[in-house]
Amino acid sequence: MKISDDFNENISRNTLFWLLLTNALVLSPLYQDATLWSIGICCICFVWRIGIYFGKVAAPPKLLVTSLAIGAAITLGLVSKEIGMLNALVNLLILGYALKYIEMRQIRDVKVVVLVGYFLIAFALLERQSMLDTVHLLFVSLINTCVLISVYQHATRKINFSFGAKVLLQSLPLAILLFIVFPRLGPLWLAPSMKNATTGLSDEVSLGDISKLTRSPDLAFRVGFDNEASNASKIQLIPNEALYWRALVMENYDGKTWKQANLRKNAQQRAYRDRNQRAMPAQVDQSNSLNYQVITEPTYQKWLFGLDQAFSETDHVVEMDDFRLYSVRNIDQRFSYRVTSYPLSMLEPVLTPLTKRINLSLPKETNPQTQALAQQFVKDYPEPLPRINAMMQYFNQQSYFYTLSPPPLGNNQVDDFLFKNKAGFCSHYASALVFMARSSGIPARMVAGYQGGEYNPKAGYYSIYQYMAHAWTEVWIEGRGWIRLDPTAMIAPERILDGFDAMFTGQDSYLQDSLFTSLRVKEIPWLNDIRLQLASLDFYWSVWVLGFDEERQQQVLSELLGEVNTSKIIILMIVSFSIIALVIAYYAGVFTLKPKQDPLIKRYSHICSKFADKGYPRETMPPQAFANFIHQAIHQEQPQLAADFNKMTEHFIALQYQVLNDKQAQQHQKLFKRYFRKVKIGL
């Protein structure tokens, strides 16, 4: 085996092969972050490098590569405000990687490309942390490592790959040890998001906006309830109509759009500084609490999800006064947080004058028919609670329809909906109820979030998808606080009782624009079972790896060490480091516990012992003489076995005693194994 550390040595063809693979694989996870012209330059460089590999073109002049690099840097500087500074830097690194890749000529260039490749893999891991993405990036790391190995080992590609896999596997115990015992530190800085786009709900809702999400099969978040004995029966009894996942509260209405009140926006801006936690409800009954873990997908927004009334002690999670959970930093990667909810607690029993004024305000001179209807309710039902119940019954008594494609509305949206179109989605009904309640003097507001969830019996958790987005109403009644009312339940009760899929088919909603989503196999039992199994694996990965916080770390260390203290952790690390170092040293050949027998000789000796058991001992005969002896002894009764053993011996002698190049050795090794298996079966 040839070992080389000459930086000025030319690149071998074996290394060029691995470089072709790693270039495509390293850039593949970052395609969403790269601009179109960055992707174009990368493709040109890749095609050019293929031409170099096959000897069709020469390496480009350095002046051309330098000019491209300067032009790319200037262009990125000009568009950095549009795509974000961090995204611009990542694009700069991608372009530097591609341009260095095309102009490299010597070993020192290969090492630079490999090092930059590891940086790009790390960037991809910051954003993509699902189990599938992690496996993908581990494979990319393996190929990138194979490039480095090929620089030092001029061996076959198979040997390079095998050695690279061993190096990666040897590093895993150390990575696992550091993952378990290293303190869970918060970020040293808040890095800007690499994306500006947002996913899911918006902080402004126009009538019909939420219905657009019904065309999205994307996962919004997952929820796993605690499996403690005290809660086990309760988890199974959570009905679909109780799964209202609160995300946003809309209190300002201008006649077209529902928005957050300025009071709430100001509180959000102060959330990082103040970190205020909401007071626990009075006379809490812990037996009626729900403890669960939420794993939300990246939304590049800050609002979180929870059942009323939700509390969380997770870092970076703040409890807002309108009973929402809020993150102090953008959710730009999967985020796990723990929640305790008290579904029977009263929400805000005392309403402040400012909050009351906000939730009674209406745009002037709008929707006169609705306001007249509200006054009729006031006349017929003087008390607030009977009045709001009558308003709910009104939706059930009139000929209203629930649809994903409501007709357009005019300037007086609520009037057009209630008295003209009479067809709408959840936001139409919630908005109309809030408007009627406010017009009658009852404080009311719209809440946006998600309703329902798909239960996965394989792992015992709920999956909530974007198409489950929903809007409902809250009204404030003295002595009762905020009460949740959902007029959708009066129009389409199956939507609330049994979930979205009970009301609409996937083909007419979330499957319509998505050809490759796994939700398409829901109607095929065995494929759906596979889908749930794979989703369960990803859920466990999110819980135990992405959700491995300080609390879970302490639980693991307590199981390993009993009482956790600094001395025990130091001893654990020293012992673990020593064991890992000894194992690596052993496999590296630094020392051996006993002489290792050559696998070739071991196989040959095994066959000889089998013949000895049948009465044909080898004793001191050379391999060829023993093969002739066996041939004479058994060729009449077992001619095929005699011929196979003769062939096996022929390849054994070639491998053991002849000087062979790599290709010849590989061919003899392959044939020896083939005849070894045949002889072993024959014996």
Side-chain angles (χ1 to χ4, degrees), residues 23 32 78 116 193 283 337 441 446 539 651:
N23 180 258
Q32 292 180 330
L78 295 174
V116 176
S193 174
Q283 298 178 346
Y337 58 99
M446 180 189 287
F539 173 75
H651 296 297

Side-chain angles (χ1 to χ4, degrees), residues 15 33 58 93-94 117 256 293 333 339 344 348 399 480 485 489:
T15 300
D33 303 310
L93 193 60
I94 289 172
K256 301 288 185 182
Q293 182 174 13
Q333 57 188 12
V339 184
L344 301 182
E348 204 165 6
S399 55
R480 300 280 300 274
L485 297 172

Side-chain angles (χ1 to χ4, degrees), residues 142-267:
L142 170 60
I143 301 301
N144 204 46
T145 304
C146 289
V147 177
L148 198 58
I149 291 171
S150 70
V151 170
Y152 293 97
Q153 292 192 359
H154 297 175
T156 63
R157 294 166 188 170
K158 183 178 180 181
I159 293 174
N160 289 151
F161 186 85
S162 176
F163 189 33
K166 288 180 181 178
V167 169
L168 212 61
L169 287 173
Q170 288 171 0
S171 68
L172 284 181
L174 180 60
I176 293 170
L177 174 66
L178 293 175
F179 179 80
I180 292 174
V181 304
F182 205 77
R184 319 319 287 177
L185 300 176
L188 300 179
W189 66 89
L190 294 179
S193 174
M194 291 175 63
K195 293 186 179 179
N196 296 320
T198 57
T199 308
L201 296 169
S202 171
D203 59 355
E204 295 184 3
V205 175
S206 298
L207 299 193
D209 278 357
I210 291 181
S211 65
K212 296 175 184 177
L213 287 176
T214 61
R215 300 173 74 90
S216 173
D218 295 338
L219 182 67
F221 57 97
R222 293 186 178 119
V223 179
F225 289 89
D226 286 358
N227 292 321
E228 299 175 0
S230 60
N231 280 347
S233 60
K234 183 167 32 179
I235 291 171
Q236 301 302 323
L237 295 175
I238 299 178
N240 194 79
E241 62 265 29
L243 297 177
Y244 279 84
W245 307 100
R246 190 188 199 91
L248 288 160
V249 175
M250 311 288 188
E251 296 173 292
N252 283 354
Y253 181 56
D254 60 7
K256 301 288 185 182
T257 304
W258 284 96
K259 302 178 182 179
Q260 286 184 292
N262 292 331
L263 174 70
R264 312 302 179 191
K265 290 183 178 180
N266 293 336

Side-chain angles (χ1 to χ4, degrees), residues 61-211:
K62 284 192 174 182
L63 180 61
L64 174 61
V65 176
T66 304
S67 301
L68 279 173
I70 294 173
I74 293 173
T75 305
L76 279 173
L78 295 174
V79 301
S80 60
K81 289 185 178 180
E82 298 177 12
I83 64 176
M85 183 57 69
L86 184 59
N87 208 352
L89 292 174
V90 172
N91 272 269
L92 185 62
L93 193 60
I94 289 172
L95 289 170
Y97 178 80
L99 293 172
K100 186 65 180 177
Y101 171 78
I102 195 176
E103 65 97 26
M104 62 183 176
R105 292 174 171 83
Q106 297 172 333
I107 294 299
R108 65 172 71 248
D109 300 323
V110 175
K111 294 178 179 179
V112 171
V113 168
V114 170
L115 183 61
V116 176
Y118 284 125
F119 273 104
L120 289 171
I121 292 169
F123 271 121
L125 197 58
L126 288 175
E127 281 198 303
R128 297 165 180 83
Q129 299 176 347
S130 69
M131 186 181 67
L132 189 60
D133 288 327
T134 303
V135 172
H136 175 204
L137 290 170
L138 277 175
F139 180 73
V140 175
S141 300
L142 170 60
I143 301 301
N144 204 46
T145 304
C146 289
V147 177
L148 198 58
I149 291 171
S150 70
V151 170
Y152 293 97
Q153 292 192 359
H154 297 175
T156 63
R157 294 166 188 170
K158 183 178 180 181
I159 293 174
N160 289 151
F161 186 85
S162 176
F163 189 33
K166 288 180 181 178
V167 169
L168 212 61
L169 287 173
Q170 288 171 0
S171 68
L172 284 181
L174 180 60
I176 293 170
L177 174 66
L178 293 175
F179 179 80
I180 292 174
V181 304
F182 205 77
R184 319 319 287 177
L185 300 176
L188 300 179
W189 66 89
L190 294 179
S193 174
M194 291 175 63
K195 293 186 179 179
N196 296 320
T198 57
T199 308
L201 296 169
S202 171
D203 59 355
E204 295 184 3
V205 175
S206 298
L207 299 193
D209 278 357
I210 291 181
S211 65

